[in-house]
């Protein structure tokens, strides 16, 4: 009985051993097959080779092999312009659908490393070849990202973030999961991981303040490890996300100063743009960039030039030599500029107070032939800039009026205010356009802020374009909002009503009551203009006039002749 039992046990052991033997050998065979496929994939010299390899070995391909296929395809198209062009053709993209379908079926078996790599390559193919990855594929990938995020490394999280941003994926839950996973291992992020991750979150418009705080700490610890592109991408991301981090920006400025020669043209452009956007002053950095940029101005494309002059203008950092050099370079390839480039450049030159008549003349010809390419915002910004620069050209402003007439219904309240201000500043009054704007503004005046209201009314009065309905509507809207007006708005508003001869006693009374307590905010010219307006409108306000007299007494010796004449005239009038 014991012997029979022993023999039975022995047979069971033999069967188990045999099963283990076959399983082990099967695993060994599978492993060898996968390694063989890996070698064959790496040897593929065309996209067709990869497609054929997958078709022949579809049943044997592991998730890693599938990921390697995408890696090899991406590598091939990145290196060859001809391949990129061919893959942009939809018919050629359909040849990759079996590989994409197989990837989708196997996605749950992907390890985090292969998942991250596949996401990265699919996004890159979309970027360089417009390869169409369907929504259901990305949804499946995002589901696996959520399942495996806790086990992902810093590099994997960085690559996935970059991929989702590049593919324009905006699922909030997915980004939140990535953010939480990245916070847990933020100290492990390399300089490249940090730059790519913050760039991705900013590009995708995903708010992640805790993550940005953690990564800024990690960045400051290893700031010397960042290369020029990583510095530029990181500050760009923080600025675009409106995430303030002064210490990090100071560190990067110190790090960048001795290494500016390493920065590519776009990195230079993005860096100064970021510092201006973040309102972070760095005069030494801007001086150094101005100096190096003059010698390398030929490297800048139109977008780089637009970003640089915008940055210097916004920062209030004067650099005439740089602006002259960039204008000179711009003249050589005007036809390459987009409407947005033109709008941003002329606005930057105007705000910086830098005269460049030849450049403005060239851009005027550009507008004459390509004005239809400008959207509403670009159009208004452009002729606002020409007006600020004192550029006088009736033909150009006629062109502006023609273009604006067909788009005025698209204008925001700011567009309307800036447009009529520009025409008034240029002394050009397109009556039909002003009639249209008056009608639109009357119905939408509640959307206007106080400055926009004041500028609009000022423009109509300056150009002597009568619009009683608009003035009446403005009065009704402003009466409960007088406290919102600043000193310049008050001065412009009462001046405009007085000059237009539009009686508004209730508004003038309300403004007088407000102005009495705020005269210390008024410039001398604003006070004089306000006095003139009340005198012209024959609107008496003894308390206001008494308070103005007290304010002006110490300033009498500094008044010019015109101001003195207006003051005594106003007091004698009332």
């Amino acid at each position: 009985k014991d012997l029979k039992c022993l023999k039975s046990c022995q047979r069971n052991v033999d069967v188990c051993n045999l099963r283990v033997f076959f399983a082990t050998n099967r695993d060994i065979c599978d492993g060898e097959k996968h390694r063989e496929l890996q070698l064959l994939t790496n040897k593929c010299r065309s996209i067709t080779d990869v497609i054929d390899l997958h078709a022949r070995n579809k049943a044997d391909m592991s998730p890693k092999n599938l990921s390697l296929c995408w890696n090899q395809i991406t590598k091939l198209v990145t290196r060859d312009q001809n391949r990129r062009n061919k893959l942009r053709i939809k018919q050629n993209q359909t040849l990759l659908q079996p590989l994409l379908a197989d990837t989708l079926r196997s996605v749950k078996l992907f390890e985090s490393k292969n998942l991250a790599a596949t996401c990265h390559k699919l996004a890159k193919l979309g970027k360089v070849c417009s390869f169409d990855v369907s929504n259901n594929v990305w949804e499946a990938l995002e589901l696996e990202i959520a399942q495996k995020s806790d086990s992902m490394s810093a590099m994997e999280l960085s690559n996935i973030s970059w991929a989702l941003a590049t593919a324009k994926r905006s699922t909030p839950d997915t980004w939140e999961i990535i953010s939480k996973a990245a916070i847990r291992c933020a100290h492990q992020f390399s300089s490249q991981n940090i730059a790519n991750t913050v760039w991705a979150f900013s590009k995708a418009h995903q708010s992640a303040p805790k993550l940005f705080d953690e990564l800024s700490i990690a960045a400051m610890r290893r700031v010397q490890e960042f290369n020029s592109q990583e510095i530029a991408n990181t500050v760009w991301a923080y600025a675009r996300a409106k995430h303030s981090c002064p210490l990090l920006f100071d560190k990067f400025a110190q790090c960048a100063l001795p290494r500016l020669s390493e920065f590519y043209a776009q990195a230079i452009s993005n860096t100064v743009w970021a510092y201006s956007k973040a309102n972070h002053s760095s005069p030494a950095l801007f001086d150094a960039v101005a100096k190096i940029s003059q010698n390398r101005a030929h490297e800048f494309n139109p977008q780089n030039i637009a970003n640089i002059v915008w940055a210097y203008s916004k920062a209030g950092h004067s650099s005439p030599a740089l602006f002259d050099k960039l204008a000179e370079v711009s003249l050589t390839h005007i036809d390459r500029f987009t409407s947005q480039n033109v709008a941003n450049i002329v606005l930057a030159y105007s705000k910086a107070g830098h005269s460049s008549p030849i450049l403005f003349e060239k851009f005027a010809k550009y507008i004459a032939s390509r004005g239809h390419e400008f959207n509403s915002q670009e159009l208004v910004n452009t002729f606002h800039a020409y007006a600020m620069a004192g550029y006088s050209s009736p033909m150009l402003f006629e062109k502006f009026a023609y273009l604006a007439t067909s788009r005025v219904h698209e204008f925001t309240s700011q567009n309307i205010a800036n447009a009529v201000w520009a025409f008034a500043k240029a002394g050009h009054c397109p009556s039909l356009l002003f009639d249209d704007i008056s009608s639109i503004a009357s119905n939408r005046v509640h959307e206007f802020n106080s400055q926009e209201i004041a500028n609009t009314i000022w423009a109509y009065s300056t150009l002597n374009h009568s619009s009683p309905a608009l003035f009446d509507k403005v009065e009704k809207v402003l009466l409960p909002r007088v406290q919102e007006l600043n000193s310049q708005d008050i001065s412009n508003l009462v001046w405009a009503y007085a000059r237009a001869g539009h009686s508004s006693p209730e508004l003038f009374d309300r403004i007088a009551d407000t102005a009495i307590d705020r005269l210390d905010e008024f410039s001398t010219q604003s006070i004089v203009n306000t006095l003139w307006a009340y005198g012209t409108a024959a609107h008496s306000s003894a308390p206001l006039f008494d308070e103005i007299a007290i304010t002006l007494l110490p300033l009498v010796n500094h008044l010019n002749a015109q101001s003195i004449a207006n003051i005594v005239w106003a007091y004698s009038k009332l």
Side-chain angles (χ1 to χ4, degrees), residues 342-392:
V342 173
N344 288 350
I345 290 170
V346 294
L347 194 59
Y349 273 77
S350 296
K351 285 186 175 180
H354 189 91
S355 176
S356 185
I358 298 176
L359 180 64
F360 271 57
E361 187 62 40
K362 283 282 188 181
F363 279 143
K365 291 178 180 177
Y366 175 106
I367 295 160
S369 61
R370 295 173 60 180
H372 59 280
E373 298 175 15
F374 288 64
N375 65 32
S376 299
Q377 187 66 54
E378 293 161 356
L379 184 66
V380 172
N381 284 354
T382 301
F383 70 84
H384 189 263
Y386 272 84
M388 276 199 298
Y391 186 90
S392 178

Side-chain angles (χ1 to χ4, degrees), residues 68 76-77 89 111-112 177 189 234 244 257-258 281 304 352 374 402-403 420 438 491 498 515 531 547 569:
L68 286 170
L76 290 166
V77 298
I89 301 169
E111 295 178 0
S112 59
I177 287 166
F189 276 61
T234 303
S244 179
L257 271 171
S281 177
N304 300 152
F374 288 64
Y402 170 76
L403 293 169
V420 295
S438 174
S491 172
L531 272 175
E547 199 64 36
W569 174 85

Side-chain angles (χ1 to χ4, degrees), residues 98-325:
L99 177 58
L100 192 60
D102 205 13
T103 302
L104 180 58
R105 281 192 294 270
S106 306
V107 71
K108 290 184 180 297
L109 304 175
F110 276 54
E111 295 178 0
S112 59
K113 181 180 179 181
N114 300 327
L115 180 64
T118 302
C119 289
H120 189 271
K121 301 314 172 189
L122 289 175
K124 193 163 188 180
L125 285 173
K127 181 182 179 183
V128 300
C129 303
S130 302
F131 179 60
D132 185 20
V133 180
S134 63
N135 188 55
N136 66 315
V137 173
W138 278 115
E139 285 179 349
L141 290 168
E142 287 177 17
L143 191 60
E144 290 309 303
I145 290 166
Q147 296 290 329
K148 298 180 171 75
S149 61
D150 287 342
S151 62
M152 288 181 180
S153 67
M155 179 178 286
E156 290 160 5
L157 290 166
S158 170
N159 284 347
I160 283 174
S161 299
W162 182 92
L164 294 179
T166 303
K168 299 180 180 178
R169 302 297 299 175
S170 57
T171 310
D173 290 347
T174 305
W175 285 100
E176 180 65 23
I177 287 166
I178 293 170
S179 175
K180 288 178 180 177
I183 288 170
R184 285 194 291 271
C185 60
H187 61 285
Q188 297 173 2
F189 276 61
S190 67
S191 56
Q192 186 181 25
N193 298 155
I194 293 169
N196 286 352
T197 302
V198 294
W199 176 91
F201 273 80
S202 184
K203 183 76 173 175
H205 302 286
Q206 297 296 324
S207 178
K210 289 182 181 178
L211 174 62
F212 272 56
D213 285 340
E214 289 296 324
L215 290 180
S216 70
I217 294 168
M220 283 189 277
R221 287 182 186 141
R222 51 182 60 190
V223 69
Q224 295 299 329
E225 299 173 18
F226 281 71
N227 63 32
S228 58
Q229 191 62 51
E230 290 161 358
I231 291 173
N233 285 355
T234 303
V235 294
W236 178 91
Y238 275 81
R240 194 169 189 264
K242 298 180 181 178
H243 190 95
S244 179
C245 195
L247 290 176
L248 181 62
F249 273 61
D250 285 338
K251 286 269 190 183
F252 275 135
Q254 293 168 11
C255 179
L257 271 171
R259 296 168 51 192
L260 282 175
S261 59
E262 302 171 16
F263 281 60
Y264 291 111
Q266 186 174 358
I268 290 173
S269 158
N270 285 355
T271 300
V272 292
W273 180 92
Y275 275 77
S276 284
K277 181 73 174 174
N279 294 315
H280 190 93
S281 177
S282 186
L285 177 63
F286 272 58
D287 284 339
V289 167
K291 187 175 180 180
I292 198 169
S293 295
Q294 289 172 56
N295 299 325
R296 295 173 55 188
H298 60 282
E299 299 176 23
F300 295 115
N301 63 31
Q303 186 62 55
N304 300 152
I305 292 171
N307 283 354
I308 290 171
V309 295
W310 178 90
Y312 277 76
S313 174
K314 186 177 187 302
H317 193 99
S318 178
S319 184
L322 173 62
F323 272 57
D324 285 339
K325 189 64 179 178

